[in-house]
Amino acid sequence: MSLIRWDPFGDVDTLFNRMAPANFANWPRFSMEGNGKKIAWAPSADISETDKEYLIRAELPAVKKEDVQVTFDDGMITIKGERKQQKDEKNEKYHRTESFYGSFERCFSLPENVNADTIRCESKDGILTVHIPKTEVSKQKAKQITVQ
């Protein structure tokens, strides 16, 4: 049996995501941190499955692999890191900036049939791919319990 973490606003999030435009949930948000407003962003991720593994592909353009940390704990895989802003040239004048910088964190719950010891990651062309191998889950037979 698997325990599921209770999320009191999970149903509200599901309803909102159904009604909102595509990818609206990944839009940057303002958060109050430190002395002023800071834009919080999260990379978009695709989750897929093959016969042998689950795959998480996160878009991390301009993020060095040294600035990314992937951890697995208590059935959750967490991808966090930071996209650092390049130093501004003193004689360079920006007219528009559409890229987002700063720290990010994404958490994904995993099913029971994963082999945590052999999870591996690779980064190529701005895409972080997390390979999560599957294991066999033994199915228990139904057992008759007598009522006393």
Side-chain angles (χ1 to χ4, degrees):
M1 178 163 108
S2 164
L3 293 178
I4 299 173
R5 294 174 197 235
W6 180 60
D7 181 7
F9 300 105
D11 292 336
V12 174
D13 287 341
T14 302
L15 178 63
F16 179 76
N17 289 338
R18 285 183 188 164
M19 296 173 64
N23 292 326
F24 181 72
N26 291 330
W27 286 4
R29 300 169 304 280
F30 284 103
S31 65
M32 299 304 287
E33 208 174 87
N35 295 336
K37 289 183 181 178
K38 184 177 181 182
I39 295 178
W41 71 282
S44 60
D46 297 330
I47 302 171
S48 61
E49 175 182 1
T50 67
D51 291 339
K52 297 181 180 185
E53 66 182 355
Y54 297 100
L55 296 164
I56 300 174
R57 291 182 182 94
E59 293 182 0
L60 299 174
V63 178
K64 296 178 182 177
K65 62 182 177 182
E66 298 84 26
D67 295 331
V68 177
Q69 181 182 9
V70 180
T71 57
F72 176 78
D73 184 36
D74 197 25
M76 299 282 288
I77 195 150
T78 302
I79 302 171
K80 66 180 175 178
E82 182 178 5
R83 182 186 300 165
K84 297 177 180 174
Q85 191 168 11
Q86 298 175 359
K87 301 286 183 189
D88 292 340
E89 295 290 327
K90 296 191 187 263
N91 54 356
E92 186 175 358
K93 182 175 161 184
Y94 285 91
H95 294 280
R96 184 179 194 132
T97 303
E98 294 182 352
S99 300
F100 298 101
Y101 300 95
S103 298
F104 61 86
E105 182 172 332
R106 295 288 310 264
C107 297
F108 304 95
S109 60
L110 298 177
E112 289 180 3
N113 67 330
V114 298
N115 186 352
D117 295 330
T118 57
I119 294 175
R120 64 183 176 86
C121 302
E122 60 188 20
S123 181
K124 183 179 179 187
D125 299 330
I127 305 290
L128 175 74
T129 304
V130 183
H131 298 267
I132 307 158
K134 293 180 181 180
T135 61
E136 290 292 324
V137 176
S138 61
K139 295 191 179 199
Q140 296 179 355
K141 292 183 178 181
K143 179 182 175 183
Q144 181 69 32
I145 300 172
T146 58
V147 179
Q148 297 181 5

